[in-house]
Amino acid sequence: KSDGDTYTCDIGDAQSRAKLVVQEKPCIFTKELVDTEVTEGEDVILHCETSKSDSPVKWCKDEKSLRNSSKYNISRSGFEAKLVIHRAEERDS
């Protein structure tokens, strides 16, 4: 429940009012992605962590969104976001 609302201080014959607006803290990376090298044909795991466990994460390659498939496995657990690339190929670089 949000604390944002109108608050009143009442002294009988007079009142003072104030509106409280609570702004959501922005989500930031608490652990960034790390450059990784892998031998062709191996699986590779990329992961990062965010400051909010419920923030949506979108994985992209060359500015195109990735989806779960036989090639990619995308997961989110708590603060960690993980991308597994199965059988890495040179074109995955």
Side-chain angles (χ1 to χ4, degrees):
K1 184 177 175 182
S2 172
D3 291 320
D5 209 338
T6 299
Y7 291 84
T8 306
C9 183
D10 191 331
I11 57 171
D13 294 340
Q15 287 184 339
S16 180
R17 292 177 185 249
K19 184 174 182 177
L20 174 64
V21 177
V22 180
Q23 295 181 342
E24 188 175 358
K25 238 178 152 176
C27 184
I28 60 168
F29 286 103
T30 56
K31 189 173 186 180
E32 300 263 348
L33 290 172
V34 176
D35 291 342
T36 304
E37 287 188 28
V38 65
T39 302
E40 190 173 24
E42 293 182 345
D43 290 353
V44 62
I45 300 172
L46 301 177
H47 61 92
C48 58
E49 292 182 9
T50 63
S51 61
K52 292 184 176 185
S53 61
D54 59 350
S55 61
V57 172
K58 182 168 110 175
W59 288 92
C60 299
K61 178 184 182 287
D62 297 327
E63 298 184 25
K64 293 181 183 173
S65 293
L66 300 177
R67 295 183 184 166
N68 277 316
S69 65
S70 59
K71 181 69 174 172
Y72 303 110
N73 183 273
I74 297 168
S75 63
R76 184 91 158 111
S77 178
F79 299 96
E80 182 182 46
K82 185 164 52 172
L83 170 66
V84 179
I85 303 170
H86 298 286
R87 298 169 303 285
E89 303 171 53
E90 191 175 348
R91 68 180 178 170
D92 294 323
S93 296

